[in-house]
Amino acid sequence: MYLTNFFSEDKTFNLKDKKNIRELIKKICLEENKKLGFINCVFCSDNYLIEINNKYLQHDYFTDIITFDHSENKKNIEGDLYISIDRTKENAKKYKGDENTELIRVIIHGLLHLIGYKDKTKKEKTLMSEKENKYLSLYKQNKSSTWNTTNMFA
């Protein structure tokens, strides 16, 4: 049994594509040979996330996501993804992409961290980007063929 929850903290955000994102998370875990226990996606502001970044990681800068791994063994995926809606929107503008795609990329990124991928070295970052692109393509492909298309920021 698996569970993917979506919450918002300090900022009103209503994710419109929950079913498809749950399906994507499930497919990524299957592809990566992991068992999905639970994932909590918590959408928040830059200010909320920088407080978490300071308190738990002693980092004093904005970030788009912070991942907390609660897994008790390496085969199970359990954790929290704190996602700054402000950052994802800003990154979409910065990289000339759309907000929906950036949000999905950030969710995938956090999930990949829970699965065990790192992004500290150049080699790790390259692999992480390749995985993000692979799963983002899967999401877009499945969404256009069978999944519902909605604007998550509507």
Side-chain angles (χ1 to χ4, degrees), residues 29-132:
C29 288
L30 286 171
E31 179 81 16
E32 294 290 334
N33 234 358
K34 301 291 182 179
K35 183 178 177 187
L36 179 59
F38 74 87
I39 302 279
N40 293 316
C41 296
V42 183
F43 303 102
C44 58
S45 69
D46 273 346
N47 291 333
Y48 189 88
L49 199 55
I50 200 168
E51 285 181 30
I52 291 172
N53 213 3
N54 277 315
K55 183 175 181 178
Y56 295 102
L57 302 174
Q58 292 73 51
H59 297 160
D60 190 25
Y61 54 81
F62 291 124
T63 186
D64 49 11
I65 188 167
I66 295 176
T67 304
F68 292 101
D69 188 349
H70 302 301
S71 302
E72 294 183 9
N73 68 59
K74 292 184 180 189
K75 276 302 257 181
N76 291 343
I77 302 300
E78 297 179 342
D80 299 324
L81 308 179
Y82 284 84
I83 300 165
S84 169
I85 294 303
D86 300 327
R87 268 318 85 211
T88 56
K89 287 182 177 183
E90 188 64 33
N91 287 346
K93 288 179 192 170
K94 180 179 177 180
Y95 299 115
K96 297 177 177 34
D98 71 78
E99 294 171 352
N100 293 345
T101 299
E102 184 61 21
L103 180 62
I104 297 301
R105 180 179 300 281
V106 170
I107 292 170
I108 292 167
H109 184 88
L111 180 58
L112 289 172
H113 275 304
L114 291 176
I115 288 169
Y117 291 97
K118 308 277 186 241
D119 59 1
K120 296 296 181 201
T121 68
K122 185 175 181 169
K123 186 177 179 179
E124 290 171 341
K125 285 179 185 177
T126 299
L127 179 59
M128 179 75 88
S129 291
E130 288 170 0
K131 291 281 185 177
E132 286 173 15

